[in-house]
Amino acid sequence: MSSTATDTAHGDGHGHDAHAPSGWDDPHGHGGHGAHDAHGHAEPHWLIKYFWSTDHKIIGMQYLFTGMFMALIGGFAVYVFRMQLAFPGMSVPFYGRVTATDYNALVTTHGSVMIFWVAMPVLIAALGNYLIPLMIGCDDMVFPRLNRLSYQLFLISAIVLIYSFFVDGGAFGGAWTAYPPLSAKAEYNLTPTGAPLWLFAVALEFAAFLLGGINFVTTVMNSRAKGMKMFDVPIVVWMIIIASILFMASVGPLIAGAVMLMFDQTIGTGFFDPNKGGDPVLWQHLFWFFGHPEVYVVLLPAMGIVAEVITTFSRKKLFAYKSVLYTAVGTGGLSFFVWAHHQFIAGIDPRMANIFSVTTLLISIPVAEMVFVYIATLFGGSIRLTTPMLWALAFIAEFLLGGVTGIFLGASGADIYFHDTYFVIAHFHYTFFPIAFIASFAALTYWFPKMFGRYMNDTWGKVHFWISIISFNCIFIPLFLLGARGDHRRIYDYTHFPDLMKSGMQDLRILATLSLVVLLVTQVIFLVNFFYSMVKGKKAEQNPWKANTLEWQCPSPPPHGNFPDGLPTVHRGPYEFSHPDRQEDYWPQNAS
Amino acid sequence: MSVQEPRKPVLPNAVLGTLFFVVAEVMLFSGMISAFTISKAGALPGTWPMPGQPRLPAEATALNTALLILSGIVLIVAHRLYKSKNPVAHWVTLASWALGTGFVALQGVEWWTLLNAGMTLKSSPLGGFFYLIVGGHALHAVIALVALFMAWVKMARGTLSPGFFFGTQTFWYFVVLMWPVIYARVYF
Amino acid sequence: MNSLLTIACAVCGAGEDPAKGSYVGMTLIISALPLAMLGGIIWYVVRAAKKAELAENAQQAKTDGRA
Ligand code: HEM
Ligand SMILES: [Cu+2]
């Protein structure tokens, strides 16, 4: 374990430059791989080894499996509260009767789990950790211990959240956006212990991603393979980096707000309490100042995944690599100027609202441009409809719907009517579902052979794809229709609201709920396929999709240290497909 | 097995990592300060500070402010001396630490007086924001002072790594530079 | 704002809101600040990279001259 290529590389130049200055990150003064050197002496228990590993691939897997587990919780929560909406008062199978307090807790749990404990860890932390060192051709992150700490904090945050389901009063019931006064006072949200625990879990989770983000950015800046210039970095790596930077720059005000809200909840301060001279709308600003950049934090990595998949399966160079990159940077910059579109009717100055309308409409331009670039990439390519490719194409189609409906909401006049209806719910699910699930499925099916050295079953993959996509649309198209008819989003039992029980409205709710059940059950196909293929799937070679990026130029699965034949040297960009001078239609970045 | 030529990083890892961390920290404080500013501007007339509540001791705090800024300047000098391998560098570092500790101690005295005068987290929005922002700053100052003390010990023993010293310095400069902004916004 | 008057309409009330100035100001500052800081870092990195490249070229020229 101690004289592999990796450690040699550490011994001379590379290792020194990469690790020596990190002394303040590493109190014992030796390089980041100290933990591994210890293996020679006494083999610790494999569990300890697993949880204390600093290998980026293991940490990536830890994030992935934790995220998948949390997705089950988020999925169960949505099942229960959708059943209540479709069949009010019924005893939900596997749960029982849903009280109003339960309903609030379930909605809150669903929203916060899916965004903070599924989308973020899977898209950014899991894929970022797994892919970045492989794709830029180095052996590990530059701060491996910081990386391990990041996962451990994340795990603790997940445990705190799960623990909060079982305390007195149950899980937090103030919605994922935690608007005061509902979230600030136990008299209103009825979850005296759940509320501060929820906030604490969210704050811990942010600390974890802050550490992870710093690590990603520094690694990409300083540890790229020899010869890899700025424009040779694969788009997905760029996207994860830009997303991490956006996260770091926007999360501060929310952490400030979270501390203030926690004081309001526990000590009884009045930061957001109008009776004590506070201002509840202030929280909305602090939350969405982070919240809107956050949606791009998850969008950009998803866009990056799609770029990798569609270039590989259309055997074409990415159309306008540099435009995609500059567009992503531009989107990130603009995303700091749109947040108040969430407060259009919270009593902000309407002239302010106009300005934010304009910026909101503006930001749809770069996003649309990225979609056009991807379509141009597909144009004229030799397209192979493998499972990952289907997911990637579905991402483009479905996300488009989400983006377009965002424009309706961004027009402040229209938003007076749409705000807090199911139209908003449908809008952000047409963006978040493609991001958190469709793109993740694209990524998992695409990189599965690399991660586990085996193929997933393609037929079952396609069955899973089609049923998921159809049922997804059958959930949210009805919700668009309901929202346009004024269906308010925070109602527990519509039978008390005759205006919202007019002809056909309940039928649409039932249709959405039944489609949801189909969607959830379908995921069993994926889980079985995933875990079965991990051990029994067909063996995959090193580069099964004939792709160019560096992760495909090392064994599947990559060993500790990633590149057993020495770190690669890069000669060209990542998307040199179907080059006219070449017999093969691909040209690995490191091939001479 | 190939021998790799090192990629020379443009900036060392510790430098880059600290820079991004400081960006996040600055945003944390700007979130609190902007919330404070908006709350203050929106307060009903005559409620800021609440009647019967103490005024913040802006004049007395000028002394603290001076101490802190001086500490930052002294640390710059220490850095110069350290770079030129001057043996007194660690004493200058200790002086910077002592000045910073003086700042924190005076802050403690100030909090004590204010608490005794009836200004608490709950007494008014001003009290809440005061302890939130100034307390947040004090927390950072204490962490930075612990690091600075460790840097002094290591420097005196000759085991200080440049990365550690750089990280500590950046963090301390952040604490020093954040303070005048807080002082100007919160105390007046 | 006149505390005795309750203003239901945001448009009418907004005109006299004394918090408006600081609200707009803080909005501008807090939005521009992250971009300014990140811009600063990028500028610093690019400058350092250029310097390093110049130094490397000079080194290269020296060794070439010797050979
Ligand atoms: C990147 C993909 C996007 C995601 C993940 C996303 C997500 C969300 C979320 C989570 C909400 C509201 C949540 C809530 O109130 O609980 C929302 C609302 C909104 N979105 Fe998006 N969005 C995206 C793209 C867009 C685009 C491209 C636009 C406009 C061009 C847009 C405009 C809006 C507006 C105006 C609202 C506020 C609606 C309201 O509350 O009345 N979004 N979006
Ligand atoms: Cu938004």
Side-chain angles (χ1 to χ4, degrees):
Chain A
M1 174 87 22
S2 63
S3 71
T4 57
T6 333
D7 291 322
T8 317
H10 274 288
D12 54 55
H14 171 82
H16 261 276
D17 272 355
H19 291 286
S22 69
W24 61 290
D25 154 44
D26 173 3
H28 306 297
H30 48 69
H33 280 269
H36 295 288
D37 299 341
H39 291 181
H41 312 297
E43 246 344 81
H45 193 266
W46 66 269
L47 252 177
I48 298 180
K49 231 168 84 183
Y50 186 74
F51 277 103
W52 288 87
S53 168
T54 53
D55 187 301
H56 69 97
K57 297 183 290 296
I58 294 187
I59 294 175
M61 287 295 147
Q62 290 169 335
Y63 267 118
L64 177 64
F65 290 121
T66 318
M68 280 166 79
F69 175 74
M70 295 305 279
L72 299 180
I73 295 181
F76 182 72
V78 67
Y79 153 75
V80 177
F81 76 73
R82 276 308 314 181
M83 288 301 270
Q84 159 65 22
L85 290 179
F87 312 106
M90 88 176 289
S91 169
V92 178
F94 310 112
Y95 188 84
R97 274 186 55 101
V98 183
T99 65
T101 317
D102 287 0
Y103 179 86
N104 286 345
L106 288 163
V107 174
T108 308
T109 302
H110 167 70
S112 33
V113 162
M114 287 301 192
I115 292 171
F116 297 131
W117 281 276
V118 178
M120 301 266 296
V122 172
L123 280 170
I124 302 182
L127 292 174
N129 265 311
Y130 195 87
L131 294 177
I132 286 177
L134 287 170
M135 291 184 106
I136 64 171
C138 67
D139 53 9
D140 207 333
M141 293 287 176
V142 296
F143 302 124
R145 284 153 191 247
L146 216 56
N147 210 14
R148 181 184 59 194
L149 181 65
S150 149
Y151 173 72
Q152 289 167 340
L153 284 180
F154 172 75
L155 185 65
I156 296 173
S157 78
I159 293 171
V160 170
L161 184 82
I162 293 172
Y163 171 71
S164 81
F165 302 163
F166 303 105
V167 296
D168 235 13
F172 177 49
W176 80 279
T177 48
Y179 284 2
L182 183 61
S183 61
K185 290 208 166 173
E187 300 103 279
Y188 303 148
N189 60 47
L190 303 177
T191 48
T193 327
L197 278 179
W198 180 88
L199 261 179
F200 179 64
V202 171
L204 261 186
E205 200 253 5
F206 288 164
F209 284 118
L210 203 56
L211 295 183
I214 290 174
N215 205 351
F216 290 173
V217 176
T218 315
T219 302
V220 173
M221 289 248 230
N222 282 352
S223 290
R224 274 166 290 136
K226 209 169 165 245
M228 184 176 261
K229 302 219 180 55
M230 203 172 137
F231 299 121
D232 299 333
V233 176
I235 285 291
V236 68
V237 174
W238 265 120
M239 293 293 193
I240 293 176
I241 291 309
I242 298 170
S244 300
I245 294 178
L246 276 183
F247 178 83
M248 289 188 270
S250 64
V251 77
L254 179 57
I255 293 183
V259 173
M260 288 154 71
L261 187 57
M262 180 106 70
F263 282 172
D264 274 12
Q265 288 170 346
T266 54
I267 305 180
T269 51
F271 292 114
F272 302 122
D273 185 347
N275 288 326
K276 297 180 182 163
D279 179 3
V281 181
L282 197 57
W283 164 265
Q284 300 190 17
H285 287 296
L286 293 173
F287 183 91
W288 286 111
F289 180 81
F290 162 80
H292 198 95
E294 162 72 9
V295 307
Y296 292 94
V297 169
V298 286
L299 170 66
L300 293 179
M303 282 281 190
I305 291 163
V306 172
E308 303 301 322
V309 174
I310 61 170
T311 46
T312 300
F313 293 115
S314 58
R315 317 307 291 166
K316 265 189 74 189
K317 200 170 170 148
L318 181 67
F319 184 88
Y321 173 102
K322 286 189 188 173
S323 303
V324 174
L325 184 55
Y326 296 145
T327 309
V329 172
T331 315
L334 257 182
S335 74
F336 285 103
F337 293 91
V338 297
W339 84 86
H341 63 218
H342 298 275
Q343 283 91 281
F344 280 156
I345 63 160
I348 64 169
D349 184 344
R351 278 154 293 197
M352 270 310 251
N354 284 347
I355 297 173
F356 279 98
S357 259
V358 172
T359 52
T360 302
L361 300 189
L362 271 182
I363 203 166
S364 59
I365 296 173
V367 176
E369 196 226 88
M370 259 190 265
V371 171
F372 284 135
V373 166
Y374 289 177
I375 294 173
T377 305
L378 292 168
F379 185 76
S382 25
I383 292 175
R384 270 175 57 210
L385 290 180
T386 56
T387 312
M389 183 63 163
L390 285 177
W391 285 114
L393 295 176
F395 175 88
I396 297 176
E398 305 286 3
F399 179 77
L400 212 59
L401 269 171
V404 166
T405 49
I407 297 176
F408 297 149
L409 298 174
S412 58
D415 190 55
I416 294 173
Y417 298 97
F418 285 134
H419 180 70
D420 261 354
T421 66
Y422 269 88
F423 194 90
V424 175
I425 304 274
H427 154 68
F428 71 75
H429 282 86
Y430 263 101
T431 55
F432 266 125
F433 186 86
I435 290 170
F437 291 98
I438 298 187
S440 292
F441 285 135
L444 287 181
T445 47
Y446 181 65
W447 279 292
F448 189 90
K450 180 53 60 185
M451 292 174 171
F452 303 107
R454 293 173 187 274
Y455 288 102
M456 281 176 80
N457 183 307
D458 203 52
T459 315
W460 283 110
K462 283 180 178 153
V463 171
H464 170 236
F465 167 81
W466 283 112
I467 306 181
S468 294
I469 288 295
I470 292 170
S471 53
F472 162 67
N473 285 287
C474 290
I475 299 171
F476 289 105
I477 290 174
L479 295 195
F480 271 132
L481 299 176
L482 281 169
R485 293 176 68 177
D487 212 11
H488 193 275
R489 68 187 275 199
R490 304 208 193 271
I491 288 175
Y492 150 68
D493 181 350
Y494 287 96
T495 48
H496 301 311
F497 295 84
D499 272 356
L500 299 178
M501 290 297 286
K502 286 199 192 118
S503 65
M505 287 181 85
Q506 191 63 19
D507 297 338
L508 287 175
R509 284 180 204 123
I510 294 175
L511 172 59
T513 300
L514 294 182
S515 311
L516 171 80
V517 173
V518 174
L519 178 69
L520 289 176
V521 171
T522 310
Q523 303 318 308
V524 174
I525 302 179
F526 174 78
L527 290 175
V528 171
N529 191 355
F530 188 86
F531 288 107
Y532 180 83
S533 305
M534 231 158 95
V535 281
K536 290 273 174 64
K538 198 170 98 205
K539 279 248 192 281
E541 56 275 35
Q542 175 168 323
N543 189 357
W545 315 121
K546 310 235 173 303
N548 294 338
T549 38
L550 293 176
E551 83 274 25
W552 300 108
Q553 322 307 331
C554 71
S556 308
H560 183 66
N562 296 347
F563 295 92
D565 308 327
L567 300 180
T569 304
V570 168
H571 299 288
R572 63 191 62 76
Y575 305 112
E576 294 297 333
F577 288 107
S578 311
H579 196 280
D581 302 343
R582 296 254 311 169
Q583 236 171 8
E584 286 155 323
D585 68 350
Y586 68 112
W587 202 355
Q589 285 190 276
N590 63 342
S592 39
Chain B
M1 184 174 302
S2 69
V3 178
Q4 283 291 317
E5 227 180 277
R7 161 184 282 279
K8 212 169 158 283
V10 175
L11 293 175
N13 298 330
V15 178
L16 267 178
T18 317
L19 281 178
F20 280 105
F21 184 66
V22 166
V23 168
E25 288 277 25
V26 171
M27 289 312 292
L28 173 73
F29 279 95
S30 44
M32 294 195 278
I33 292 175
S34 57
F36 169 86
T37 307
I38 291 171
S39 291
K40 182 179 176 182
L44 295 176
T47 63
W48 201 278
M50 232 28 135
Q53 288 269 307
R55 215 175 49 88
L56 293 178
E59 299 78 16
T61 311
L63 176 65
N64 302 10
T65 311
L67 279 188
L68 189 61
I69 292 175
L70 196 61
S71 161
I73 296 172
V74 171
L75 192 59
I76 296 178
V77 175
H79 172 72
R80 291 263 166 85
L81 292 175
Y82 174 71
K83 257 192 150 172
S84 61
K85 303 217 163 38
N86 191 317
V88 297
H90 74 274
W91 291 119
V92 181
T93 309
L94 187 64
S96 167
W97 178 83
L99 286 166
T101 309
F103 166 81
V104 173
L106 284 181
Q107 286 293 112
V109 173
E110 181 182 307
W111 279 37
W112 185 249
T113 350
L114 284 172
L115 283 170
N116 281 336
M119 186 165 140
T120 65
L121 255 177
K122 283 168 73 171
S123 62
S124 67
L126 173 60
F129 274 113
F130 174 79
Y131 290 110
L132 176 77
I133 299 177
V134 178
H137 181 265
L139 192 68
H140 283 81
V142 169
I143 295 173
L145 283 173
V146 171
L148 199 57
F149 190 76
M150 277 162 62
W152 171 68
V153 172
K154 287 183 177 186
M155 202 191 281
R157 288 192 190 148
T159 57
L160 182 63
S161 74
F164 185 88
F165 195 39
F166 179 87
T168 311
Q169 273 188 57
T170 313
F171 201 60
W172 185 245
Y173 295 144
F174 157 71
V175 168
V176 170
L177 290 176
M178 205 64 232
W179 179 252
V181 180
I182 295 175
Y183 179 58
R185 293 256 25 120
V186 176
Y187 280 79
F188 292 96
Chain C
M1 200 191 336
N2 189 336
S3 59
L4 300 174
L5 272 180
T6 315
I7 296 163
C9 169
V11 186
C12 314
E16 301 123 44
D17 189 351
K20 197 180 131 203
S22 51
Y23 178 73
V24 173
M26 286 299 129
T27 301
L28 281 176
I29 288 178
I30 209 172
S31 305
L33 192 62
L35 298 182
M37 285 191 293
L38 295 175
I41 292 185
I42 291 172
W43 171 80
Y44 184 57
V45 168
V46 168
R47 203 189 59 156
K50 283 216 175 109
K51 256 195 199 160
E53 200 173 332
L54 277 182
E56 201 163 304
N57 286 347
Q59 190 75 28
Q60 196 73 36
K62 240 196 229 160
T63 36
D64 285 356
R66 230 178 280 145

